[in-house]
Amino acid sequence: MKITVLLAALLSASVAFAGPPAPKKEGIEGQGYVWNAQEGEKIEALQKKGDVTRGEEAYEVCGACHLPSGAGRPDGTFPQLAGQHTTVLIKQMADIRAGLRDNPTMYPFAATLVDPQELADVSAYIESLCIPTDHGKYEGADAALQVAKGKELYEKQCKECHGDTGAGDKAKFYPVIAGQHYKYLLRQMTEIRDGHRRNANPDMVKVIKPYTDDQLVAISAYQASLKMPGSMCGDKK
């Protein structure tokens, strides 16, 4: 059953690849940009109660890249989604669909979700997934040093929004960053610093703008070393 649904979803996605490109809406480069504006399908999805059972079926197409477990890829090509806040998931998917966030790989898949209710359903399912015990970490010979440097930087400017443990803030749309794949964290922070993540929080852009590549490596190493909050896979109930 699941294999059939997944194949059908992938075929639908391949059609989407052949269709028109993703829309492009002005983001951080625009004067009127509001980072967490609640409008359109985004606010509709946020106001709906997600159904985990329906969300599991809708997630089939997502699992092709993010894996059925929601673990993503340790090499950072696809982020770990399991346990992420529903608000963050809804915002990011809606932003990609609306053209606020450039992600040509994900856009055809996100476009297969039919309405705000399905956005809410798939986000509820992803948030309910147990947290994988393994993820991509910084693996250099100087790992301990990088994590220590990153901890110092994180505690100065990052924890105010993302919290002591990297758990983020569901109500404010701040993502869980603890336990995310190191290479994914590094890529996203680099893109935010360099102005390529068009749906970024302008406050974060200001904070991260002065950071050097070496500092971003250290912060990413520290964040990836943290334990993601939530029920770990294999935990006894």
Side-chain angles (χ1 to χ4, degrees):
M1 170 63 178
K2 287 188 176 182
I3 293 176
T4 302
V5 173
L6 178 56
L7 287 173
L10 286 171
L11 286 171
S12 297
S14 68
V15 173
F17 272 113
K24 190 158 186 174
K25 189 175 180 181
E26 196 171 51
I28 54 174
E29 70 274 21
Q31 292 184 346
Y33 172 67
V34 179
W35 170 70
N36 61 348
Q38 305 310 300
E39 57 189 17
E41 68 171 5
K42 190 185 304 181
I43 192 169
E44 290 186 57
L46 289 166
Q47 291 173 343
K48 294 183 180 295
K49 180 177 176 58
D51 183 281
V52 172
T53 301
R54 289 198 304 263
E56 181 177 10
E57 183 175 345
Y59 181 78
E60 292 281 0
V61 67
C62 311
C65 295
H66 295 283
L67 303 187
S69 64
R73 310 279 179 173
D75 65 2
T77 50
F78 301 105
Q80 177 174 297
L81 298 181
Q84 185 60 261
H85 303 310
T86 54
T87 53
V88 171
L89 294 164
I90 287 171
K91 172 178 166 50
Q92 295 305 318
M93 285 190 286
D95 283 355
I96 289 170
R97 285 158 65 94
L100 263 174
R101 179 176 174 183
D102 301 315
N103 193 325
T105 300
M106 185 173 168
Y107 174 74
F109 293 87
T112 65
L113 299 174
V114 297
D115 56 25
Q117 182 63 62
E118 197 156 46
L119 278 175
D121 293 344
V122 74
S123 298
Y125 175 69
I126 292 169
E127 187 183 56
S128 76
L129 292 170
C130 66
I131 311 304
T133 55
D134 296 316
H135 61 273
K137 298 181 176 67
Y138 179 83
E139 296 180 343
D142 59 344
L145 176 62
Q146 292 288 9
V147 168
K149 285 167 57 181
K151 183 175 188 292
E152 184 177 350
L153 290 165
Y154 181 88
E155 291 182 345
K156 281 182 179 177
Q157 290 188 290
C158 306
K159 78 172 185 178
E160 181 179 348
C161 293
H162 291 285
D164 292 338
T165 63
D169 189 318
K170 185 173 184 175
K172 294 181 179 179
F173 302 86
Y174 298 154
V176 177
I177 52 177
Q180 183 57 264
H181 303 305
Y182 159 74
K183 290 184 178 179
Y184 180 78
L185 289 166
L186 179 59
R187 186 171 79 253
Q188 294 307 311
M189 286 198 289
T190 301
E191 290 188 358
I192 290 171
R193 182 196 63 183
D194 297 345
H196 300 313
R197 174 92 177 245
R198 294 187 305 105
N199 76 331
N201 184 340
D203 291 336
M204 182 172 176
V205 175
K206 291 176 184 176
V207 168
I208 207 170
K209 197 73 175 173
Y211 285 173
T212 65
D213 290 348
D214 288 343
Q215 287 175 316
L216 292 185
V217 166
I219 297 170
S220 301
Y222 175 66
Q223 292 171 345
S225 76
L226 296 171
K227 182 180 178 182
M228 192 173 182
S231 176
M232 301 297 292
C233 297
D235 283 352
K236 293 181 178 179
K237 301 296 184 181

